[in-house]
């Protein structure tokens, strides 16, 4: 399995569930999904990372772009439930200080 994406509305936010591996080859798919979600649905975006097992620098780039796009539209981005390897990358790079990380989707939506 490489990457599966699912998008749904929750309150006045849009949640994109990311499952599989986020790397150089799959990052463009998430980039397109995030752009569409922000433009079509809501600038309040939660990325559900519970089923994301791997992320490299290409994935980090998509997260940063999502944050810039959403905040530019007056919204924001939150990350929900990253597994340990992904959470470690977020901490190591300091991205968790720029984009808030929550333990679950409901909390992320409520705090966004």
């Amino acid at each position: 399995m490489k990457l599966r994406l699912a998008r749904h509305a929750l309150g006045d936010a849009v949640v994109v569930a990311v499952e599989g591996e986020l790397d150089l080859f799959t990052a463009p798919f998430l980039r397109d999904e995030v752009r569409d979600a922000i433009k079509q649905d809501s600038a309040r975006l939660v990325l559900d990372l519970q089923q994301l097992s791997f992320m490299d620098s290409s994935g980090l780039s998509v997260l940063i772009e999502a944050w810039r796009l959403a905040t530019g539209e007056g919204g924001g981005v939150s990350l929900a439930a990253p597994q340990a390897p992904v959470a470690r990358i977020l901490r190591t790079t300091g991205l968790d200080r720029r984009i808030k990380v929550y333990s679950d989707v409901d909390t992320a939506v409520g705090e966004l």
Side-chain angles (χ1 to χ4, degrees):
M1 170 184 17
K2 275 305 231 176
L3 187 71
R4 293 183 64 177
L5 304 171
R7 177 171 56 176
H8 67 276
L10 186 59
D12 62 350
V14 62
V15 176
V16 175
V18 185
E19 180 181 348
E21 299 175 0
L22 186 55
D23 58 22
L24 179 65
F25 300 104
T26 60
F29 298 105
L30 180 59
R31 179 177 285 112
D32 291 345
E33 185 73 22
V34 163
R35 286 177 181 165
D36 288 346
I38 291 170
K39 296 286 186 187
Q40 295 176 8
D41 297 326
S42 175
R44 293 176 34 117
L45 176 68
V46 173
L47 295 172
D48 179 356
L49 306 180
Q50 184 174 7
Q51 298 298 318
L52 182 64
S53 58
F54 173 82
M55 179 172 65
D56 68 7
S57 61
S58 301
L60 290 171
S61 176
V62 174
L63 299 184
I64 293 165
E65 182 179 336
W67 175 79
R68 287 181 177 157
L69 182 58
T71 56
E73 296 285 328
V77 174
S78 293
L79 307 176
Q83 293 183 24
V86 174
R88 187 171 32 257
I89 291 169
L90 296 170
R91 278 191 312 274
T92 301
T93 61
L95 192 57
D96 65 339
R97 291 188 300 269
R98 175 76 55 169
I99 302 174
K100 297 229 183 226
V101 179
Y102 296 94
S103 60
D104 59 72
V105 170
D106 291 332
T107 304
V109 169
E111 296 292 324
L112 187 57

